Amino acid sequence: MKTTGTEQSALYLDGADTLDETTLGGLMDLYGDEIRRYVYGMTRNLQQSEDIAQEVFIQAHLRFRSFRGESSLKTWLFTIARNKTINELRSAYVRHVILFAWVKPGQASSSAEDSFLDKQKWQQLREIILALPLKHREVFLLHVVQGWPLAEIADLLEVPEGTVKSRLHRARKKIDERWKELES
Amino acid sequence: MSKAGSDWQQFAEQGLFRDVTFTDEMVRRVFGEIGRRKKPAFVTAGRLVKPGFVILACLVLAALFVTPGPFKDTVDRLVPATAPPVEWPLSYQVLNAPIWQPGETILASDPDILPGLSNKFDPLYKRMVTDQLALSDVELLDTRPVDGFGTMLHYRLLADGEEESPTFFGFVLGEEAGLSTFYHVGYGHMFELANHEMTRIFGQPALKVEQSVCRTDGESCAWYFTIEQEDDPMLYVMFEAGSMERDVDGDGVEEIVVVTEKLNQIYVFKEIGGALHWASIREVLGADVGDSVAYHHDEGLFSIVPAGTEESAYYRVADEGTVLRQVR
């Protein structure tokens, strides 16, 4: 994996108690969006994704000594994010659900060049992906949306690479089916 | 891959969740929270100096109160033989908070309605539970009867199909065994992680769903459901902090005492004229930063421990709810 300047400076701190604030700020710039999107894809809840993503960096700062450099800093941050997300999902805690006031996926950000049709398709795809079973959704998000190599996903999930491939295949198949239904 | 497949793949790769970002506000909150969680240096130092300070304080107090001598006149002035009870005026004010509308997203960045209380909207929802599901559409995982209300249900939607799909909480009212439908209320944590019991709030019976481990910041949550005249359930009020019900002022109507971990706040809520009114025990007692306040539910007492001491002063609501009076 390519190591960024921010990562390199953080690696010098391997064994230190905390990340300094400059490095932490750099990590938030670098991985904040990705981590929040991953958590959002997993929880399907904007609010939870915000809370958990923030907590990931707070924990990274306060417990930096637990980073041993065995994985990349990015994988370490995603491991924290994943553990926190799974804990949240296990406790099934959704803070803001009140009589099924479902938190709907956020609206597409409007950009001038997006056609209405594209926006509609984009939103439909998003809904299809968010409706995938968790295991398939997670692998899909990491590989297709975030661009992670399969081997890294296998490391993060602590499963064989073949399992990742199989989940990805199933995710693609389901999306393909649903997409064709919508197209027809 | 089919043309359709490559079509969606292109959309996915272009950035499926590009509107979901780690905002500058989130960055600020991370730094703010880190600062808050780090213990100030004097706390650690306090552990070292505390025993010495306590001994010194004891010696000074002994000189003042036990030993007759030069301080005798001062002591007499400070502590009259028949000191009147310490009391503080207690008044309530109407809660000024936005009303939540169905479908409205609640953001963590929204301001808390009161210091330390994480609700972002008026806790007095008073919204009918309208969603109903057919029992044939769910896989029932567990049930729990609550006398005086109905049967709590824990289930999974058959349409979700997967073992890892979320579970849900709902209920049937009364002795409605055999009914084909039930009320669909919330996620499974409201069954799995919650206690269910009947209580009374604001002069009426209510089902309390209490989840002690609820929020990521460690606060509890409490939902109160009532049954309205037409036998329809309603989410009456919901607090995102530990909540207890008690007629603290003896007027025959139960208030809700809400105790927050954040900022160590205690609020007493009354419903007056269809609106929530509140009083902050911290404010009433004039608690300063570092002073600790507590609510003792069994006795209906509030207490305060001033910073740097271990002496508690206990107060009870008295004089028809107009004062907090020290009882010990």
Side-chain angles (χ1 to χ4, degrees):
Chain A
M1 180 184 283
K2 212 168 139 181
T3 309
T4 66
T6 303
E7 276 216 347
Q8 281 173 344
S9 55
L11 287 169
Y12 284 121
L13 297 171
D14 187 8
D17 282 352
T18 59
L19 283 169
D20 68 76
E21 296 198 347
T22 308
T23 309
L24 182 68
L27 288 175
M28 284 192 275
D29 276 349
L30 201 58
Y31 300 125
D33 288 349
E34 273 190 62
I35 284 178
R36 185 163 182 219
R37 285 170 190 156
Y38 165 73
V39 177
Y40 171 64
M42 295 279 279
T43 60
R44 299 184 281 205
N45 185 308
L46 283 170
Q47 180 60 61
Q48 275 185 309
S49 71
E50 184 174 315
D51 291 347
I52 294 172
Q54 288 174 178
E55 193 60 29
V56 167
F57 290 102
I58 293 168
Q59 292 302 314
H61 177 77
L62 297 176
R63 297 185 184 175
F64 189 66
R65 79 174 86 181
S66 67
F67 174 61
R68 297 191 201 92
E70 291 165 353
S71 61
S72 73
L73 199 51
K74 179 179 176 181
T75 304
W76 182 64
L77 291 171
F78 268 81
T79 303
I80 298 173
R82 185 168 193 264
N83 290 340
K84 289 197 169 296
T85 304
I86 288 172
N87 282 343
E88 287 287 294
L89 292 172
R90 278 190 185 141
S91 71
Y93 160 63
V94 178
R95 182 196 310 176
H96 298 300
V97 170
I98 303 154
L99 300 181
F100 286 89
W102 296 96
V103 178
K104 294 175 182 170
Q107 297 299 309
S109 60
S110 57
S111 61
E113 67 272 19
D114 282 343
S115 69
F116 171 75
L117 196 61
D118 276 358
K119 275 196 215 171
Q120 203 178 20
K121 280 184 170 181
W122 184 82
Q123 186 62 25
Q124 283 171 338
L125 178 61
R126 188 162 155 146
E127 283 167 14
I128 291 171
I129 290 166
L130 289 176
L132 288 173
L134 185 65
K135 283 181 182 174
H136 302 164
R137 191 165 75 237
E138 180 176 32
V139 170
F140 183 86
L141 289 168
L142 289 169
H143 184 65
V144 179
V145 181
Q146 312 261 31
W148 280 44
L150 297 179
E152 274 181 38
I153 300 174
D155 280 350
L156 176 71
L157 272 54
E158 296 178 336
V159 296
E161 201 172 318
T163 305
V164 176
K165 278 183 190 165
S166 152
R167 289 179 188 175
L168 188 61
H169 174 72
R170 287 174 189 222
R172 286 184 192 280
K173 197 175 164 198
K174 284 187 184 175
I175 296 168
D176 226 15
E177 286 167 6
R178 289 282 295 122
W179 192 253
K180 280 176 185 162
E181 282 172 25
L182 289 170
E183 297 262 286
S184 60
Chain B
M1 187 173 288
S2 66
K3 185 177 179 302
S6 60
D7 191 8
W8 66 250
Q9 175 113 357
Q10 195 183 355
F11 277 102
E13 288 169 354
Q14 279 170 359
L16 197 63
F17 301 117
R18 57 193 170 195
D19 58 329
V20 181
T21 58
F22 201 90
T23 62
D24 290 345
E25 177 58 30
M26 291 170 71
V27 171
R28 277 193 289 276
R29 278 204 293 269
V30 167
F31 283 125
E33 188 62 19
I34 285 170
R36 199 184 67 78
R37 290 191 196 179
K38 282 180 181 169
K39 288 180 182 172
F42 67 82
V43 172
T44 314
R47 287 196 190 121
L48 297 174
V49 300
K50 202 171 178 183
F53 175 78
V54 169
I55 292 166
L56 180 64
C58 288
L59 289 172
V60 170
L61 287 173
L64 277 170
F65 292 95
V66 178
T67 315
F71 302 111
K72 182 70 169 63
D73 290 344
T74 311
V75 172
D76 286 347
R77 281 203 307 276
L78 287 173
V79 188
T82 55
V86 175
E87 58 186 36
W88 303 96
L90 171 63
S91 61
Y92 293 82
Q93 51 190 305
V94 68
L95 179 67
N96 184 15
I99 308 292
W100 177 81
Q101 299 300 328
E104 198 168 351
T105 301
I106 302 175
L107 302 172
S109 52
D110 291 338
D112 292 347
I113 57 169
L114 290 171
L117 179 55
S118 301
N119 289 63
K120 310 294 185 188
F121 287 84
D122 192 328
L124 198 65
Y125 284 93
K126 285 191 166 180
R127 290 200 174 270
M128 305 305 298
V129 181
T130 53
D131 279 352
Q132 292 199 46
L133 288 180
L135 279 168
S136 57
D137 287 341
V138 303
E139 176 195 355
L140 204 54
L141 302 174
D142 202 357
T143 63
R144 189 179 297 156
V146 176
D147 285 346
F149 196 89
T151 301
M152 311 295 109
L153 307 176
H154 185 213
Y155 51 93
R156 180 176 283 132
L157 301 180
L158 290 174
D160 286 349
E162 295 283 334
E163 278 190 12
E164 290 184 2
S165 61
T167 64
F168 296 94
F169 164 73
F171 47 61
V172 290
L173 301 182
E175 302 295 327
E176 297 184 74
L179 276 187
S180 58
T181 61
F182 62 93
Y183 290 100
H184 187 43
V185 180
Y187 282 103
H189 61 95
M190 292 175 72
F191 186 99
E192 288 176 291
L193 304 176
N195 291 319
H196 307 86
E197 62 176 9
M198 286 304 288
T199 182
R200 290 186 64 83
I201 55 165
F202 309 143
Q204 61 185 323
L207 166 72
K208 180 182 186 184
V209 179
E210 181 182 34
Q211 192 176 328
S212 57
V213 180
C214 176
R215 292 173 46 87
T216 46
D217 58 14
E219 296 281 8
S220 308
C221 299
W223 295 260
Y224 295 90
F225 294 90
T226 56
I227 299 176
E228 298 304 304
Q229 288 175 349
E230 300 296 324
D231 285 346
D232 292 321
M234 170 189 275
L235 173 65
Y236 204 87
V237 64
M238 184 270 178
F239 289 102
E240 294 191 33
S243 305
M244 287 153 275
E245 317 77 44
R246 187 184 180 94
D247 179 9
V248 292
D249 52 13
D251 66 352
V253 177
E254 303 80 12
E255 288 77 35
I256 300 180
V257 181
V258 176
V259 180
T260 76
E261 298 282 338
K262 281 193 297 188
L263 304 180
N264 180 221
Q265 293 283 352
I266 299 175
Y267 295 105
V268 180
F269 285 94
K270 296 169 89 70
E271 188 190 10
I272 303 171
L276 278 185
H277 288 59
W278 62 278
S280 162
I281 297 301
R282 220 182 151 79
E283 278 181 24
V284 170
L285 293 176
D288 210 342
V289 177
D291 295 352
S292 170
V293 296
Y295 171 59
H296 308 273
H297 185 55
D298 291 344
E299 300 172 282
L301 298 179
F302 301 95
S303 66
I304 180 168
V305 183
T309 75
E310 293 177 0
E311 288 295 316
S312 298
Y314 290 81
Y315 294 82
R316 182 187 298 286
V317 179
D319 291 356
E320 299 179 341
T322 58
V323 296
L324 268 186
R325 179 172 297 146
Q326 188 171 358
V327 293
R328 63 176 188 262

